[in-house]
Amino acid sequence: MDSDSLEPRRAVKARNILHYIIIMSGYLVSDTRKVTTHRLIEMKEQGQQIAMLTSYDYTMAQIVDQAGIDIILVGDSASNVMAGNMTTLPITLDQMIYHASSVVRGVKRALVVCDMPFGTYQVNATEGVKNAIRIMQESGCDALKLEGGVEIQDTVRAILDAGIPVMGHLGLTPQSINKFGTYAVRAKEEAEAEKLLSDARLLSEMGCFAIVLEKIPAALTKKVCEQVKVPVIGIGAGQADGQVLVVHDMLGMTKGFSPKFLRRYADLSTVITDAVGQYITDVKAQDFPSEAESY
Ligand code: KIV
């Protein structure tokens, strides 16, 4: 056998071994090392995009993690998606800790970030740090996300000083929806765009490890990405260093929410409806359970 025909065989064997390792580990990615905040900053430096999705429970988090997502956000969007509230404001600290600890139990690889809910960090830095420590201790998550810029800088600094990694969130910050009065695109005007840029620089300089930008013009996102060292994760904000979506939205489980930025990767609502319909039919017809499904 000549050396030319040996190489492809080795390559095939190596690929098969890798495939076997991936299947055995249950992960769809070969690099199953735990994602860290440090690794995310390296990814930006190396021009690698960061993929982030929300999860609120153990089962979904396990699936999303094994598919190879980089960051799982236990978003306060749990208030809308899991509890059926109109806004993110009603969800409590205890409820966020419940969701985050469920997610943490399902995740081995992704970085798990938990939202600090409304009212737990806006009063003052002391209360913010106390609540931040509670979430970290009781849920076991890796980092926290807070909405806002210069207004919450003392709290962000104090949480960082306590050794807790912080992800910023600027643009359409849903905890301020009552102040905005609308879910329209933010920072279209120069003054608001300038403030957002300066807030992003501040968060990055203070030591936040990443910043989410929600529903702002793509050109502004590009400027932020160029001006801050840390990864910028967009949602309805055009191209950035990474993207985030609410998992129930991108899987097509939520029907009434169709903003322009939302790409649906599945139609699980229809899949579930069909499966439940078939189950009902089978039960009513006494087709389920069969003898093979009985003891
Ligand atoms: O709570 C959430 O889901 C979020 C994302 C939309 C970024 O904050």
Side-chain angles (χ1 to χ4, degrees), residues 33-153:
R33 284 173 304 167
K34 175 81 180 168
V35 178
T36 61
T37 55
H38 182 73
R39 172 82 193 108
L40 295 170
I41 293 169
E42 266 178 10
M43 285 174 79
K44 170 159 179 159
E45 285 164 1
Q46 293 166 1
Q48 290 177 39
Q49 285 284 314
I50 296 164
M52 167 166 155
L53 281 173
T54 65
S55 292
Y56 317 105
D57 66 274
Y58 170 83
T59 305
M60 182 70 85
Q62 197 172 43
I63 296 169
V64 170
D65 186 48
Q66 291 189 354
I69 205 78
D70 299 308
I71 308 176
I72 292 184
L73 172 67
V74 186
D76 58 0
S77 50
S79 176
N80 311 81
V81 178
M82 304 304 286
N85 293 311
M86 290 297 287
T87 72
T88 58
L89 275 68
I91 199 157
T92 65
L93 190 63
D94 285 340
Q95 288 166 342
M96 286 304 294
I97 290 170
Y98 166 78
H99 286 297
S101 55
S102 308
V103 166
V104 166
R105 284 191 287 274
V107 173
K108 290 200 181 89
R109 180 183 175 276
L111 186 90
V112 179
V113 181
C114 180
D115 264 334
M116 287 197 74
F118 178 66
T120 62
Y121 61 97
Q122 289 89 348
V123 177
N124 57 47
T126 310
E127 221 177 280
V129 178
K130 219 171 86 191
N131 290 327
I133 290 173
R134 249 200 85 194
I135 303 178
M136 297 297 288
Q137 271 188 331
E138 294 180 29
S139 75
C141 71
D142 303 308
L144 302 176
K145 177 162 79 59
L146 278 71
E147 296 183 5
V150 65
E151 311 79 12
I152 57 158
Q153 63 171 320

Side-chain angles (χ1 to χ4, degrees), residues 201-274:
R201 281 195 298 261
L202 176 68
L203 292 173
S204 172
E205 280 156 17
M206 282 197 299
C208 290
F209 71 90
I211 301 168
V212 167
L213 294 183
E214 182 163 352
K215 224 169 172 191
I216 64 165
L220 179 58
T221 301
K222 187 164 179 282
K223 273 193 196 169
V224 178
C225 292
E226 286 162 0
Q227 291 191 19
V228 302
K229 277 198 285 186
V230 298
V232 173
I233 315 287
I235 173 163
Q239 285 291 335
D241 302 313
Q243 297 293 325
V244 56
L245 285 174
V246 168
V247 74
H248 290 68
D249 293 339
M250 60 85 77
L251 291 177
M253 295 173 84
T254 47
K255 280 278 179 188
F257 180 66
S258 295
K260 172 174 155 176
F261 69 77
L262 174 60
R263 187 180 291 183
R264 290 198 196 278
Y265 287 84
D267 182 9
L268 287 199
S269 175
T270 304
V271 171
I272 294 169
T273 306
D274 289 351

Side-chain angles (χ1 to χ4, degrees), residues 160-202:
L160 288 166
D161 286 347
I164 299 170
V166 174
M167 173 181 266
H169 186 161
L170 300 170
L172 178 63
T173 44
Q175 291 178 12
S176 300
I177 190 59
N178 293 316
K179 186 173 89 179
F180 298 147
T182 166
Y183 282 100
V185 176
R186 303 304 309 176
K188 279 165 110 177
E189 307 302 330
E190 206 179 316
E192 195 177 332
E194 277 307 318
K195 180 180 181 301
L196 189 143
L197 260 177
S198 116
D199 281 344
R201 281 195 298 261
L202 176 68

